């Protein structure tokens, strides 16, 4: 077992990433990706992030299985599964940088629209809506479109999470049920990812050494996030979710554009 100072830096980043994960049910690997992949390298950083999530995903999956929107989970998996197979094929046809620019721009726009609705309008402009907008056919088509597209890009480049979140946050209204449903989505997808990564020989002794430091750091963040979720209401929760989506989308967009330029 080896030790590198970089393992500590990567581990400390997991505290923040897993705090968000424990609160919202998504975001830990994407938020920490720049540090994790930058210091460990993509070949070890990607499987590190996948494997690090598994104990917490399974723990929450067992603990909160009664508080999962199984109907929506079935829809998510059913619509993502064909897309993942399509994405596996498109991996060899489409530039990942182009995909990241498109997805980053789309997620950023969606996040900004909802930040205006849930933060700017009520807190800055002091305006309130009398009732939520009706769930029209157009909105349903948009949600399902995000879900299908999320499956495709996740299968191709493992960056479909933000689009899957766009569907789930509209479909599952209860904040804890949303978190638990997103958790079960990653139980399914990350279990598959671990199988394929193990089959491809991605787990190295260096990665296991880094996990020895990252795991307790992730646990600190995860359980703090779970506790924080119980202290906030749904509107506060939505603000956090859309701010996280803005960070993820904007980071994906800006870093990909910089890579092109």
């Amino acid at each position: 077992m080896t030790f590198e100072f970089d393992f500590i830096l990567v581990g400390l980043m997991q505290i923040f990433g897993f705090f968000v994960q424990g609160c919202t049910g998504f975001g830990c690997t994407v938020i920490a990706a720049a540090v994790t992949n930058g210091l460990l390298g993509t070949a070890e950083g990607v499987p590190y992030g996948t494997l690090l999530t598994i104990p917490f995903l399974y723990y929450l999956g067992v603990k909160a299985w009664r508080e999962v929107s199984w109907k929506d989970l079935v829809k998510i998996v059913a619509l993502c599964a064909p897309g993942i197979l399509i994405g596996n094929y498109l991996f060899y046809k489409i530039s990942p940088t182009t995909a990241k620019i498109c997805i980053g721009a789309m997620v950023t726009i969606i996040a900004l629209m909802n930040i205006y609705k849930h933060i700017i309008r009520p807190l800055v402009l002091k305006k309130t809506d009398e009732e939520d907008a009706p769930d029209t056919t157009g909105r349903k088509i948009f949600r399902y479109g995000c879900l299908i597209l999320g499956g495709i890009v996740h299968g191709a480049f493992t960056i479909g999470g933000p689009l899957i979140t766009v569907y789930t946050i509209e479909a599952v209204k209860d904040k804890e049920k949303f978190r638990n449903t997103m958790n079960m989505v990653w139980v399914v997808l990350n279990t598959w990812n671990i199988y394929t990564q193990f089959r491809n020989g991605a787990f190295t002794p260096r990665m296991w050494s880094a996990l020895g430091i990252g795991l307790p750091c992730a646990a600190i963040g995860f359980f703090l996030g779970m506790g924080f979720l119980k202290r906030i209401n749904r509107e506060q929760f939505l603000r956090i979710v859309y701010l996280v989506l803005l960070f993820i989308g904007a980071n994906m967009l800006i870093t990909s554009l910089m890579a092109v330029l």
Side-chain angles (χ1 to χ4, degrees), residues 8-47:
I8 297 178
L9 300 178
V10 171
L12 291 175
M13 188 63 198
Q14 307 311 317
I15 296 177
F16 176 64
F18 274 83
F19 176 86
V20 174
Q21 182 78 22
C23 180
T24 66
F26 74 98
C28 62
T29 54
V30 180
I31 288 172
V35 173
T36 302
N37 295 341
L39 295 178
L40 298 183
T42 303
E44 290 175 317
V46 171

Side-chain angles (χ1 to χ4, degrees), residues 207-226:
M207 186 207 71
W208 287 110
S209 297
L211 277 172
I213 295 176
L215 192 61
C217 293
I220 292 171
F222 184 76
F223 289 109
L224 285 175
M226 288 184 65

Side-chain angles (χ1 to χ4, degrees), residues 175-226:
K175 60 187 176 73
E176 291 203 30
K177 189 167 282 191
F178 167 83
R179 191 270 312 273
N180 298 336
T181 303
M182 286 300 300
N183 182 78
M184 291 303 295
V185 171
W186 306 129
V187 165
V188 175
L189 297 184
N190 281 13
T191 298
W192 171 255
N193 285 342
I194 277 189
Y195 166 72
T196 57
Q197 289 166 0
F198 175 77
R199 186 180 61 183
N200 294 330
F203 299 159
T204 66
R206 180 172 181 260
M207 186 207 71
W208 287 110
S209 297
L211 277 172
I213 295 176
L215 192 61
C217 293
I220 292 171
F222 184 76
F223 289 109
L224 285 175
M226 288 184 65

Side-chain angles (χ1 to χ4, degrees), residues 92-198:
Y92 301 99
K93 304 294 182 180
I94 301 176
S95 163
T97 301
T98 300
K100 288 179 180 179
I101 291 173
C102 295
I103 300 304
M106 184 176 181
V107 171
T108 299
I109 292 170
I110 293 169
L112 287 172
M113 289 171 60
N114 283 281
I115 285 173
Y116 173 79
K117 176 182 178 181
H118 294 281
I119 298 178
I120 304 298
R121 185 176 174 84
L123 300 183
V124 179
L125 301 179
K126 305 298 182 182
K127 296 181 180 179
T128 57
D129 298 321
E130 293 183 1
E131 57 181 18
D132 293 334
D135 193 15
T136 62
T137 301
R139 292 181 60 160
K140 291 179 181 177
I141 292 173
F142 174 75
R143 286 205 305 271
Y144 285 115
C146 285
L147 191 54
I148 295 170
L149 182 60
I152 293 172
V153 298
H154 198 79
F157 309 112
T158 67
I159 56 173
L163 289 174
I164 296 172
T165 301
V166 169
Y167 167 84
T168 312
I169 195 65
E170 288 292 328
V172 184
K173 299 300 184 181
D174 180 80
K175 60 187 176 73
E176 291 203 30
K177 189 167 282 191
F178 167 83
R179 191 270 312 273
N180 298 336
T181 303
M182 286 300 300
N183 182 78
M184 291 303 295
V185 171
W186 306 129
V187 165
V188 175
L189 297 184
N190 281 13
T191 298
W192 171 255
N193 285 342
I194 277 189
Y195 166 72
T196 57
Q197 289 166 0
F198 175 77

